[in-house]
Amino acid sequence: MDYLDTLNEAQRTAVTAPPGPVLVLAGPGSGKTRVLTHRIVYLIRELNVSPWHILAVTFTNKAAKEMRQRVEEMMDGRLRGLTMGTFHSVCARILRRETDNLTWYDRDFVIFDTADQQQVVKQALKDLNLDDKKFPPRKMLNGISNAKNELITPDLYQATNYIATVTQRVYEQYQKVLHNNNAMDFDDLLMNVVLLFDERPDILAKYQQQFQHILVDEFQDTNTAQYAMIKRLAAAHNNILVVGDSDQSIYKWRGADYRNINRFRKHYPGAQQILLEQNYRSTQLILDASKAVIQHNPNRVHKDLFTERQGGDPIVLREAYNDWEEADTVVSMIQSLLLDGYAPNDFAVMYRTNAQSRALEEAFVRANMPYRLVGATQFYKRREVKDLIAYLRLVHNPLDSVSYGRIVNVPTRGIGAKSKEKLQQWAVSQGLSPAEAHIMLAIDPDVQHPFNGRAFNALSRFGALLDAWTTLRETASVGELMDAILEQTGYRDYINDGTEEGEDRWANVMELRSVAAEDTAVTLSEFLEQVALVAEADNVDAAVNASTLLTLHAAKGLEFPVVFITGLEDGILPHSRSFDDIESMAEERRLFYVGMTRAKDRLYLSHAFRRAVWGEPEVMVPSRFLNDIPAHLLDGVGTQKRREQTKSRASSWSWSGSQTTSRTTPSRRSAPQRTARKANAVPTTRRAMPEPNYQKSDFEPPRPETAVPHYKTGQKVRHVKFGDGIVIESKPTGNDAEVTVAFSDVGLKRLAASFAKLEIIDN
DNA sequence: GGATCTCATGTTTTT
DNA sequence: CATGAGATCC
């Protein structure tokens, strides 16, 4: 078999494993995608399995698409009926097919995203007369989502304290609101499939019969609901192959549990286990450094990654003065590497939080370098895009009161709060959804209603539009429907107000329009589903010749010749929210590990001396993870030395230029590089830019930190008069620092550091 | 009824 | 600092 020749022994063992449960533990870059694609080909060719009987679940839609392409190439295009996609999209497809068997939903159900969910929670709180200040929707949603991921329905919810009791009630009401809207949230897609399978053995049997061979990628990031689903599906034939790496589990906060790997072992004691340790991506040096970092996690299965790419360039570790300088250093490094023959799309710049992309973007723009941004202000979350989608959803599903609420009066059409409320009441009394009520007003001349002339006109006019679009939907394509909506609502004039931002917003609308135009045959239902389930990483288009800016999370599964990981500071990369929990800290470490192992040839690590985490810049401590990289793998000096260098550079900036350069009137950004036509390929929201001829002196002049001792949160200090206390907060103010101390005797005091002469007695 | 302003509030990661 | 809610003004 020629296609098996290209595999190493472990890979071949996995690919040709006899049917049955198989667990593949695959280190980064060990060719797990190859294993999956070859396995599918093997099943079809060698074992005569029909593609119809295969289900392959991937982490992103993009991964699914690529995998399908590869398989098709290897098979010369002979695979109809193969099911491949993310858990969410596979579940959506199943539920769509089974709507007749669902209690609460009909065929046109829509998928609500996070923003919609927020609205639903608010509605639920209102229905229950609960104060959304006391019970923040975000928190409520969290509790609900966690429950759903654990397959806990409202009536199974065990409330052990007051807040949980409230959560349960909100959860119950939340589900009711969703049902009324004919809508599911992301978690429902998973949970409802499992519930359906449990309720209807006949339906489960049907899918067991179809999916006789199941393959799951990124198994370490499955949650309870996902695992429950595949376990049920596999129960009849036991042909299940999962690929995962617990060291790359980074979605615990979303309910993922890498312990599913252990559960799998327990549940299938006879499972064949294969370890993929040969890495085909990175240099040995990068692997050694990554291994040194991940080794510090407790309770892991040891893997001995190796590669034939011996040696490699040392990892470069640098400290920058602040986030600005860090970004500039990254960009100029890229520029010099470009001269060495690298292409712009060979580079990726990674960071922990989306907010960090800003300084980087600006540096790229200043340098006139092409870049593309993954995530951040996502295309599908933009106001104008959401508006248009809300219109489409409402036409598709008139029960969707969330979408209705979003656009009843956008653009404004004389339907204010009073009218809205009155209509709401009237709709309820008529047993109609708000949208249906509008339509009723428009088409039934004899209808009894409580509205005065002006309000009636506005309300029924909107109803007439809805009615017309609903009719149009039957015959027109999605694109044509969009055109009609945009035209008849005057949306263009509303959004395109002559400002640059307005222009951008309109461009985004047209972008969405062109997505619909790509496939004229797509139904409204399909289009909406597609749009609801796009993943961050789906928009990483390798064909674009630009450097990639992305979060460490979004980097999973990708690889780049040169990787920069920025913001390696305590509080950022281990994120401050993970300090007090061992498991979260371990996950932060895995996140760093995932980032490092994306690099093929070169890895650059950086941290900043000062960074504005929120408002005022603070002095940062280099990430604790950096200490775990052996010095001989690094091109860089020790922590102390780095900081001294930063300080000496910093002091040279303070005298290098005048302080008069104005930063108060940001100029408009020069023509942005449209590196791609794709959705969020290039940030479209303009941001205030610094003077283009900026110079080093524009950096905030560093403060003479020397005189004032630096206090850290949590330090025990002694004051001559107030006695002993603990530092609550310390923030720089001009040449000084303002320290907030909780004294055991006199309580909270705010002190000027230079004045108070606090004695540090313990860290 | 609608637009604009101010104030407060809260910030990880995303299907 | 960015978004959202509430108040105020038109």
Side-chain angles (χ1 to χ4, degrees):
Chain A
M1 300 326 93
D2 46 337
Y3 70 97
L4 294 177
D5 292 345
T6 59
L7 302 172
N8 70 31
E9 206 182 319
Q11 290 172 337
R12 200 175 313 126
T13 311
V15 167
T16 62
V22 182
L23 170 61
V24 181
L25 300 171
S30 62
K32 65 190 169 73
T33 313
R34 283 170 74 77
V35 167
L36 286 167
T37 49
H38 283 70
R39 174 68 172 180
I40 294 170
V41 174
Y42 180 82
L43 289 173
I44 298 172
R45 267 210 216 157
E46 252 56 59
L47 303 185
N48 280 321
V49 175
S50 155
W52 168 253
H53 287 315
I54 298 174
L55 166 67
V57 189
T58 57
F59 199 69
T60 62
N61 295 300
K62 180 170 161 260
K65 213 189 269 172
E66 282 173 3
M67 214 184 278
R68 179 183 288 273
Q69 253 165 26
R70 284 213 225 169
V71 175
E72 276 172 357
E73 275 163 29
M74 291 172 71
M75 299 288 303
D76 283 331
R78 284 174 294 146
L79 31 75
R80 236 173 305 135
L82 175 69
T83 304
M84 199 179 251
T86 63
F87 270 105
H88 291 273
S89 67
V90 169
C91 289
R93 254 175 280 167
I94 291 177
L95 291 170
R96 193 78 66 188
R97 215 186 298 167
E98 301 298 333
T99 39
D100 289 348
N101 297 309
L102 296 176
T103 317
W104 302 104
Y105 295 98
D106 75 36
R107 197 171 39 96
D108 294 330
F109 76 81
V110 292
I111 298 164
F112 274 4
D113 69 13
T114 325
D116 304 322
Q117 292 182 53
Q118 206 93 221
Q119 293 305 116
V120 175
V121 176
K122 280 186 190 159
Q123 180 64 50
L125 287 166
K126 208 168 135 202
D127 293 345
L128 297 170
N129 265 321
L130 292 168
D131 183 0
D132 61 359
K133 298 251 162 48
K134 261 163 116 180
F135 307 102
R138 273 185 58 104
K139 293 246 169 69
M140 293 286 113
L141 216 41
N142 243 320
I144 294 171
S145 176
N146 290 340
K148 287 184 178 179
N149 286 330
E150 292 295 323
L151 297 170
I152 299 167
T153 53
D155 44 310
L156 292 177
Y157 196 96
Q158 296 286 330
T160 48
N161 56 39
Y162 176 61
I163 195 86
T165 315
V166 176
T167 307
Q168 174 176 28
R169 288 177 60 210
V170 175
Y171 181 12
E172 196 170 14
Q173 185 60 27
Y174 173 88
Q175 289 304 87
K176 273 188 198 148
V177 176
L178 282 179
H179 296 154
N180 291 339
N181 282 271
N182 197 19
M184 294 192 200
D185 65 19
F186 292 130
D187 305 315
D188 280 334
L189 295 173
L190 309 172
M191 183 172 77
N192 285 337
V193 166
V194 177
L195 296 182
L196 179 68
F197 284 170
D198 285 350
E199 243 166 64
R200 294 286 301 272
D202 56 318
I203 292 175
L204 173 60
K206 184 172 83 183
Y207 286 98
Q208 285 174 336
Q209 164 61 20
Q210 179 181 352
F211 300 132
Q212 294 181 15
H213 294 266
I214 298 171
L215 301 93
V216 184
D217 194 10
E218 308 280 11
F219 186 66
Q220 76 281 357
D221 279 322
T222 52
N223 63 32
T224 301
Q226 291 166 333
Y227 185 40
M229 172 190 162
I230 53 159
K231 213 157 82 180
R232 280 160 179 70
L233 283 175
H237 296 89
N238 277 332
N239 295 327
I240 175 161
L241 181 145
V242 302
V243 185
D245 177 6
S246 43
D247 287 337
Q248 295 183 65
S249 167
I250 54 174
Y251 283 96
K252 176 181 146 68
W253 49 274
R254 213 167 78 186
D257 189 351
Y258 64 88
R259 286 172 305 183
N260 280 340
I261 294 177
N262 293 332
R263 295 194 185 111
F264 184 90
R265 276 204 201 96
K266 251 186 221 134
H267 191 250
Y268 302 100
Q272 191 169 163
Q273 208 177 122
I274 295 143
L275 201 56
L276 301 184
E277 290 176 308
Q278 179 165 6
N279 174 293
Y280 294 93
R281 179 184 296 152
S282 312
T283 63
Q284 186 67 50
L285 192 140
I286 289 172
L287 282 188
D288 287 344
S290 313
K291 278 155 69 176
V293 167
I294 198 68
Q295 247 164 23
H296 286 78
N297 268 356
N299 311 323
R300 41 184 296 279
V301 181
H302 181 76
K303 280 190 294 296
D304 208 13
L305 294 179
F306 68 97
T307 171
E308 286 172 358
R309 298 189 61 195
Q310 285 310 308
D313 292 316
I315 293 164
V316 179
L317 171 60
R318 288 292 134 81
E319 178 177 76
Y321 175 63
N322 57 13
D323 54 345
W324 268 56
E325 200 212 9
E326 183 181 46
D328 271 343
T329 312
V330 167
V331 170
S332 49
M333 199 64 226
I334 290 177
Q335 283 174 321
S336 78
L337 287 168
L338 284 172
L339 300 176
D340 290 351
Y342 281 104
N345 61 356
D346 287 336
F347 304 98
V349 190
M350 303 176 185
Y351 35 81
R352 174 69 234 264
T353 66
N354 279 308
Q356 291 167 254
S357 70
R358 188 194 174 134
L360 288 160
E361 279 186 78
E362 291 178 356
F364 272 87
V365 172
R366 274 199 299 276
N368 207 22
M369 300 264 289
Y371 69 96
R372 87 200 115 136
L373 183 73
V374 180
T377 26
Q378 294 166 319
F379 180 72
Y380 287 105
K381 289 203 175 122
R382 291 180 189 284
R383 173 158 64 89
E384 60 279 13
V385 174
K386 286 218 72 171
D387 282 348
L388 184 48
I389 290 173
Y391 271 106
L392 293 173
R393 287 211 306 213
L394 192 56
V395 172
H396 176 63
N397 170 27
L399 299 181
D400 183 346
S401 60
V402 173
S403 294
Y404 165 82
R406 184 180 182 92
I407 47 91
V408 230
N409 205 27
V410 175
T412 50
R413 50 173 73 87
I415 303 175
K418 283 243 173 64
S419 300
K420 260 188 253 182
E421 183 138 339
K422 221 163 161 188
L423 182 107
Q424 176 70 34
Q425 279 169 11
W426 184 69
V428 170
S429 74
Q430 302 294 301
L432 298 171
S433 75
E436 289 168 334
H438 278 278
I439 295 177
M440 182 69 84
L441 289 176
I443 62 174
D444 185 352
D446 303 324
V447 73
Q448 296 293 310
H449 64 80
F451 307 104
N452 64 32
R454 215 168 97 178
F456 173 82
N457 280 338
L459 294 170
S460 72
R461 206 172 306 134
F462 184 52
L465 287 175
L466 284 174
D467 185 49
W469 297 329
T470 310
T471 313
L472 181 64
R473 179 210 161 172
E474 302 301 324
T475 53
S477 69
V478 176
E480 288 163 344
L481 180 59
M482 274 186 190
D483 290 340
I485 291 168
L486 292 170
E487 161 87 36
Q488 289 161 27
T489 55
Y491 198 81
R492 180 175 192 162
D493 292 335
Y494 163 71
I495 210 77
N496 198 356
D497 54 4
T499 64
E500 207 175 345
E501 192 192 338
E503 237 168 75
D504 266 351
R505 290 192 180 280
W506 179 248
N508 286 330
V509 171
M510 291 330 282
E511 184 63 47
L512 183 65
R513 171 69 179 83
S514 74
V515 173
E518 276 165 20
D519 181 1
T520 49
V522 74
T523 67
L524 184 53
S525 173
E526 287 163 348
F527 181 76
L528 290 173
E529 187 164 308
Q530 212 176 292
V531 156
L533 297 179
V534 278
E536 282 297 331
D538 288 343
N539 294 313
V540 185
D541 184 352
V544 178
N545 200 15
S547 309
T548 306
L549 311 187
L550 75 181
T551 63
L552 288 160
H553 281 92
K556 187 164 86 151
L558 305 176
E559 60 177 25
F560 302 88
V562 184
V563 168
F564 295 83
I565 303 179
T566 63
L568 286 164
E569 295 134 39
D570 265 11
I572 306 276
L573 193 41
H575 194 270
S576 50
R577 296 276 292 241
S578 56
F579 280 169
D580 43 5
D581 178 42
I582 299 170
E583 198 30 66
S584 316
M585 189 54 86
E587 181 146 314
E588 296 291 306
R589 189 181 282 280
R590 292 194 289 268
L591 203 44
F592 186 34
Y593 175 73
V594 166
M596 292 177 82
T597 54
R598 300 307 98 194
K600 289 177 167 171
D601 307 340
R602 289 162 183 260
L603 180 59
Y604 292 84
L605 307 177
S606 62
H607 60 100
F609 172 53
R610 315 187 63 183
R611 185 181 299 272
V613 180
W614 143 91
E616 283 286 294
E618 276 176 57
V619 174
M620 306 299 286
V621 177
S623 171
R624 57 192 75 186
F625 298 153
L626 292 172
N627 302 329
D628 301 328
I629 304 176
H632 71 274
L633 303 178
L634 289 174
D635 163 8
V637 292
T639 315
Q640 289 282 310
K641 205 68 190 253
R642 285 205 302 281
R643 184 129 302 179
E644 279 164 30
Q645 287 174 355
T646 307
K647 283 192 176 167
S648 71
R649 261 179 305 145
S651 57
S652 69
W653 297 332
S654 57
W655 50 257
S656 70
S658 74
Q659 303 295 318
T660 53
T661 322
S662 164
R663 290 179 66 184
T664 49
T665 46
S667 71
R668 294 197 341 173
R669 165 163 127 196
S670 52
Q673 303 84 49
R674 295 259 162 194
T675 52
R677 194 194 55 73
K678 212 55 210 160
N680 59 355
V682 147
T684 39
T685 311
R686 315 257 161 156
R687 287 171 168 153
M689 294 300 296
E691 292 290 346
N693 59 344
Y694 111 97
Q695 36 189 242
K696 287 276 195 223
S697 60
D698 274 357
F699 288 140
E700 216 181 313
R703 305 193 171 109
E705 236 103 358
T706 45
V708 182
H710 178 61
Y711 297 102
K712 278 195 324 211
T713 306
Q715 261 174 349
K716 273 193 195 142
V717 291
R718 180 168 299 155
H719 186 269
V720 227
K721 215 161 123 197
F722 298 134
D724 291 359
I726 290 171
V727 176
I728 301 297
E729 190 188 26
S730 167
K731 59 179 177 190
T733 52
N735 290 336
D736 206 337
E738 186 186 68
V739 193
T740 311
V741 183
F743 290 100
S744 45
D745 294 331
V746 291
L748 230 52
K749 290 278 178 203
R750 246 180 232 173
L751 307 164
S754 60
F755 208 67
K757 302 219 168 51
L758 292 164
E759 185 190 347
I760 299 171
I761 43 180
D762 198 351
N763 269 323

